[in-house]
Structures are given as C-alpha cells and as structure tokens.
Amino acid sequence: MTAYMQNSPISELPSHVTWLENEAEKSAMWRSEAHVAVPKRVMVVDDTLKADRAYQLTSEGTFLLWRGDFQNAKQLLQALARRIDHKPRKAKAQPTDPAAAFHLHRQAQSHRARILGMLLVTFEPHHVLSLRRAPALAEACQAVYGESHQPYVVSLREVLGLIGAYEWRKKGVEIAALNAKIHPYYGVFSPVRGEYLSLVQQAPLSTTELAFDIGTGTGVLSAILAQRGVKHIIATDQDPRALACATENIARLNLTAHVTIVKADLFPQGKAPLIVCNPPWIPARPSSPIEYAIYDPDSQMLKGFLSGVGNHLNENGEAWLILSDIAEHLGLRSREQLLQWIADAKLAVIEKHDIKPHHPKVADADDPLHQARAAEVTSLWRLKHVL
C-alpha cells in the first residue's frame, strides 16, 4: 500500500517530559512517532513493580518510567498485554452491524495501544539505553530518529517496534512478483500482501513508454512495472521516509534508469498513458502515522485520485486502481458509492481483475473482523477517461 501523508499530524518542535526522581525534578525530550501527547503524570518504577499494580497505574493515567532490567521491562509489557486482552467469562454480546463491530474493534485497539505505550525508557545522548541487559540500539534508533545529542524519553513499545522494523529493513521482504526483496523503512507500509502485487504483475499492459505510480511507499509497484518493461516510471509520495525508502529500493534493484522518485501531492506534472494507484483501503481515522497507509479518512486519497486522474491521462490512457472491497464488507463504503465516484470523475471501467487474499487473518476465526476478511476481494480496476 501507499504511504499517503496529506492528512497526517504535523510534527511539532520537540517537547519535554518532566518527572520527580530522588527528590529532584528531571526533564528530557519527549519522542513519539504516534504523536502521543507529552505525559503529564510520570512515576519512576523498577523490577519491584508487579504487573497488576502497573496495569492499575496505567489505567488511571500514570506513565511508568522504567529503571530496572531491560528484559524484565519487556516481560512487564507482555503481562500488561495479557491483562488488556483478557476476556471476561461473561463477555458482552458483539454487535451484529459490521460497521459497529469495526468501530468497537478500533476502540479496543486504541485502548490497547494507549496502555502499552505508557511504559517508558530514557535514552542518553547518541541513543544509549542505560538499562541492565539492554542491547545496543544506536543503529536502529538513528535510522528512525537521526542524530541525537541529548537525552530523550520514549515508550518501550515504540522502541521494540523500531527494533523490529530495522531488522526487516536489513533483512528485506521477499516479493514473489519481483523475485527479489523490498526493504521497508520504519513508518512505511511493508508490502506483505502479495495478492495486490500479483494483480499489477499480471494485468495487461497497454503501454511500456511511461507510467505514474501515485503514493509509491516502498516503490514496489514501480519496480514491478519496470521489470515488466515500462521504460520510465515517475513515482510520487509526500512522506520523506517513503521517498527515501523508495529511492533506496529502486537503487538496490538497479532500476534507477527507469524510475524517478518525486515529492508530490498525488500527481506529478504532465500526463501519462498509464497511472497506477494503490490507496489506503479503509475509510477511517488513523491512530498513528504508519496507519495512513491503511486508513484514509472519508476516502480522501481515493476520491482525490479518481477526481484528478483524468486530467493526467493521455488520450486512450489507463488508470489502474488497486483496491480491496473490505470497506464494503465492514459497512464503511458501498460499491454504489465507489461506482458513483468513478462516474462523477468521467471515468469508465474497462475491466476489473479480482483476486482473493491469502494472508493468515483470512483463516483466523477469532479475528474480530473475520467475517469481512473471509469475504474480501482485492481488485485492479482498469479505468479510462471519457468526455
């Protein structure tokens, strides 16, 4: 999926968090990739803190600044997750309305993220974590935060996330449609769902001269088009990490002669005979920057692409819209709405290619959204502009 950041929160100047420790007030810069507000109530804790007490404190709004063993902190985080996920014996009946079930699921996700994000750690300058049994994290932190010359406080959950992301960035994600790896950056959605990539790999090409890839993210769709013989692709995005990520991936694949990465709000200048876009699939409010690749409030990117693509298509050109219908199964957007937006943009459907997802959640009956996931179909809509 793309990394479209038009409606993402604007980063503010770094703020500082303060706390009382050894009868003295201390302060450090606050970091939060999820744009969590600066903690107002902070308690210094260590290995003597029990999980039940930690859960009580966080539920009451107290952030916990860890001064114990790093591995014990990870175990406490797991213990908090178990308490959050614990289902009471008499669970409330789940709503039968798909949209209500989805919003309830999102509320639960938000609550979980809030509680787990309240266990904090302090880094010294140059990304040094001075906790017992703490690993060396300077490279992983610098890849996300850049140089750091002052102490900062950050949630342990975010730290673990950036460690995992850095490992994926080094290791890469195998892409069958490319027969190669893509290396995603932290905050740029990883192309782990192969079915939509297969659609782009297999759809009939009406041109190999020029294509636009709108909201390129990791650059994976541009790479597929280039491997299919498209001579020049202009790939756009607004997020600096996505632009850097796509640039690195295209270079790794030796495709820089064919792909140009451009910072743009949707479309670059000019027209093309083929314009490809894989917008976020679910019209809902993101709760963190990376979720802008999944959630698109009021389908703004989808509608922006449809309404503007006709002005950037050559005569007889094609627009490829890669979109899941999961929003329809969740009751968040209807097929009629989508078709109306297509018609309002003076676009006509040439053909639609469908494929069923095969990721693990499709078969997970315990997933709160299982019914929608089981019915989901991903499609590549081939569209043309009509006057």
Side-chain angles (χ1 to χ4, degrees):
M1 296 182 188
T2 60
Y4 181 66
M5 301 295 290
Q6 182 178 18
N7 301 293
S8 63
I10 299 173
S11 297
E12 299 178 350
L13 293 175
S15 298
H16 284 70
V17 55
T18 60
W19 67 94
L20 192 65
E21 187 171 6
N22 298 326
E23 300 183 353
E25 186 176 275
K26 296 191 176 183
S27 175
M29 189 175 74
W30 170 244
R31 287 193 183 275
S32 174
E33 288 293 307
H35 300 285
V36 173
V38 178
K40 301 298 184 184
R41 186 167 33 170
V42 179
M43 176 186 292
V44 176
V45 298
D46 57 24
D47 303 283
T48 62
L49 181 68
K50 303 298 183 184
D52 286 338
R53 178 58 176 159
Y55 185 55
Q56 179 187 9
L57 288 167
T58 52
S59 297
E60 293 171 350
T62 300
F63 285 75
L64 309 176
L65 185 57
W66 188 257
R67 291 292 189 243
D69 179 87
F70 178 79
Q71 300 302 326
N72 288 346
K74 290 173 60 178
Q75 291 178 11
L76 178 59
L77 203 62
Q78 294 169 355
L80 287 172
R82 288 194 297 270
R83 282 155 177 78
I84 298 167
D85 298 337
H86 175 70
K87 295 179 180 179
R89 292 180 181 178
K90 292 185 178 180
K92 294 181 180 179
Q94 295 297 308
T96 56
D97 175 61
F102 170 76
H103 291 302
L104 188 65
H105 172 63
R106 290 290 290 160
Q107 288 175 7
Q109 284 184 317
S110 178
H111 171 73
R112 190 179 196 274
R114 182 180 66 83
I115 296 296
L116 296 182
M118 295 176 75
L119 183 59
L120 312 178
V121 292
T122 304
F123 278 80
E124 302 303 324
H126 310 295
H127 307 297
V128 175
L129 183 58
S130 298
L131 296 177
R132 295 190 308 276
R133 293 199 290 172
L137 300 176
E139 288 186 7
C141 292
Q142 186 162 328
V144 176
Y145 301 137
E147 294 285 347
S148 178
H149 302 287
Q150 58 179 308
Y152 62 89
V153 172
V154 63
S155 83
L156 176 62
R157 188 170 188 251
E158 181 170 307
V159 172
L160 297 178
L162 65 88
I163 293 171
Y166 186 62
E167 291 304 314
W168 278 113
R169 177 173 170 176
K170 291 192 299 181
K171 180 182 178 182
V173 178
E174 194 70 45
I175 305 297
L178 279 173
N179 194 27
K181 289 183 177 181
I182 287 289
H183 296 259
Y185 280 24
Y186 180 88
V188 181
F189 197 85
S190 178
V192 292
R193 288 187 55 162
E195 85 275 4
Y196 76 94
L197 304 178
S198 298
L199 289 171
V200 175
Q201 183 192 38
Q202 297 167 10
L205 276 173
S206 59
T207 180
T208 57
E209 292 302 313
L210 173 66
F212 293 167
D213 173 16
I214 307 303
T216 191
T218 61
V220 64
L221 296 187
S222 290
I224 291 173
L225 292 172
Q227 281 200 355
R228 292 193 63 186
V230 178
K231 297 173 185 176
H232 187 203
I233 300 107
I234 300 177
T236 70
D237 213 297
Q238 290 196 113
D239 178 35
R241 283 184 186 152
L243 294 166
C245 180
T247 299
E248 180 180 312
N249 281 313
I250 294 303
R252 282 177 179 269
L253 296 167
N254 297 315
L255 296 173
T256 51
H258 302 284
V259 181
T260 302
I261 311 295
V262 174
K263 183 177 183 179
D265 178 359
L266 289 178
F267 303 98
Q269 294 182 352
K271 296 186 176 184
L274 176 63
I275 303 179
V276 177
C277 183
N278 173 33
W281 292 345
I282 301 178
R285 184 175 63 87
S287 60
S288 64
I290 194 172
E291 287 195 343
Y292 279 85
I294 307 170
Y295 300 104
D296 181 17
D298 195 33
S299 300
Q300 291 184 27
M301 183 181 179
L302 171 59
K303 290 189 287 189
F305 172 75
L306 291 173
S307 64
V309 71
N311 296 327
H312 293 272
L313 277 174
N314 287 349
E315 186 177 358
N316 299 320
E318 285 188 21
W320 288 5
L321 172 65
I322 301 98
L323 193 68
S324 158
D325 66 356
I326 191 167
E328 299 173 20
H329 299 295
L330 292 172
L332 303 176
R333 181 176 60 229
S334 69
R335 176 59 56 91
E336 290 71 25
Q337 280 181 304
L338 177 60
L339 293 175
Q340 188 61 56
W341 295 339
I342 291 173
D344 289 345
K346 294 183 171 56
L347 298 170
V349 180
I350 302 171
E351 196 173 15
K352 184 166 72 76
H353 303 268
D354 298 333
I355 190 169
K356 290 285 293 181
H358 44 74
H359 57 86
K361 287 187 177 180
V362 173
D364 183 4
D366 293 328
D367 188 298
L369 307 181
H370 172 68
Q371 187 173 354
R373 296 191 195 281
E376 180 185 7
V377 172
T378 305
S379 302
L380 186 152
W381 298 74
R382 295 175 58 204
L383 309 171
K384 66 177 181 179
H385 193 219
V386 292
L387 299 178

